[in-house]
């Protein structure tokens, strides 16, 4: 019922332990009504929209977060995709991303990339992982892959987000579709092992 959803919003705005009671928030009546009407009676969707509105709106000079109808319209259309970017889910998602590229599955790879970006993952972290993967899992099977991964990282620094999602996506798809070879990492790891464990001698005379 609309009255129950309004009560949920009011409680979330005033609850200092589990809600936003410690913040100064002004939610316009139009914004509140829009969130309620578009939630289809789903309390979770109401709370997700409210959270997105609060966390994506910068406070004004006196510290008040003003949530207008426009902000509410944008927030109710977005899905709250979050995960603990320092915990297990962070590593699970990046692992799924890497394994999808290694498995040459561009559809799964782009899904996990989008999921990370929408969850607010640091795009530089994603770019670094793609550079490493290009050398480790593709290597000499397609040396161009490393250049594309590096170019995506440079594009990220040059244009920033959200536009950089395009070169990141391009690199992601290219890496997933590229042939795979681990010869490079096997070669350097074996050479390092020899250096550590074997007699390496002097530099040979020309």
């Amino acid at each position: 019922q609309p009255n129950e959803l309004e009560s949920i919003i009011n409680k979330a705005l005033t609850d200092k332990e589990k809600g936003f009671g410690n913040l100064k928030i002004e939610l316009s009546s139009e914004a509140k009504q829009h969130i309620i009407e578009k939630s289809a009676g789903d309390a979770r969707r109401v709370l997700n929209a409210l959270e997105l509105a609060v966390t994506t709106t910068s406070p004004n000079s006196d510290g008040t977060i003003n949530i207008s109808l426009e902000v509410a319209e944008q927030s109710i259309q977005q899905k709250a995709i979050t995960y603990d970017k320092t915990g297990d889910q962070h590593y699970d998602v990046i692992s799924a991303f890497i394994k999808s590229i290694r498995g040459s599955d561009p559809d799964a790879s782009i899904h996990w990339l989008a999921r990370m970006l929408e969850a607010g993952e640091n795009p530089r972290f994603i770019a670094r992982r793609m550079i490493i993967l290009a050398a480790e899992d593709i290597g000499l099977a397609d040396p161009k892959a490393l250049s594309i991964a590096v170019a995506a990282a440079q594009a990220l620094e040059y244009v920033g987000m959200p536009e950089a999602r395009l070169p990141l996506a391009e690199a992601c798809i290219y890496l997933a579709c590229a042939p795979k070879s681990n010869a490079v990492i096997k070669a350097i790891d074996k050479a390092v092992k020899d250096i550590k464990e074997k007699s390496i001698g002097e530099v040979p005379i020309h």
Side-chain angles (χ1 to χ4, degrees), residues 5-6 23 28 46 70 76 81 90 95 111 132 150 164 189 194 197 203:
L5 295 177
E6 184 174 4
L23 300 175
S28 73
V46 165
E70 181 181 1
I76 197 68
I81 304 171
H90 164 81
S95 176
H111 165 83
I132 295 168
V150 171
D189 284 355
D194 286 347
E197 298 179 359
V203 179

Side-chain angles (χ1 to χ4, degrees), residues 71-206:
V71 171
E73 288 174 342
Q74 295 173 351
S75 298
I76 197 68
Q77 291 173 7
Q78 299 180 55
K79 184 183 294 184
I81 304 171
T82 59
Y83 61 84
D84 178 3
K85 289 182 280 294
T86 60
D88 292 340
Q89 284 185 306
H90 164 81
Y91 295 105
D92 289 344
V93 173
I94 191 63
S95 176
F97 174 65
I98 295 300
K99 288 177 180 176
S100 296
I101 296 179
R102 283 177 179 163
S104 300
D105 188 339
D107 294 326
S109 301
I110 203 73
H111 165 83
W112 293 114
L113 173 63
R115 189 155 163 175
M116 287 189 290
L117 293 176
E118 284 300 299
E121 182 62 80
N122 186 341
R124 290 180 176 175
F125 170 75
I126 299 171
R128 287 195 296 269
R129 291 306 301 263
M130 287 200 291
I131 290 173
I132 295 168
L133 184 145
E136 179 178 349
D137 296 287
I138 298 172
L140 298 179
D142 183 357
K144 187 178 178 182
L146 180 57
S147 297
I148 289 177
V150 171
Q154 291 174 334
L156 170 62
E157 299 301 320
Y158 187 72
V159 303
M161 294 295 289
E163 291 81 0
R165 74 190 189 284
L166 300 176
L168 289 174
E170 181 178 343
C172 166
I173 294 169
Y174 188 95
L175 298 183
C177 294
K180 306 299 188 292
S181 169
N182 64 352
V184 169
I185 188 172
K186 287 176 65 177
I188 187 63
D189 284 355
K190 188 174 186 300
V192 169
K193 187 172 185 292
D194 286 347
I195 297 300
K196 291 179 177 179
E197 298 179 359
K198 296 182 180 181
S199 175
I200 57 177
E202 302 296 329
V203 179
I205 298 173
H206 181 66

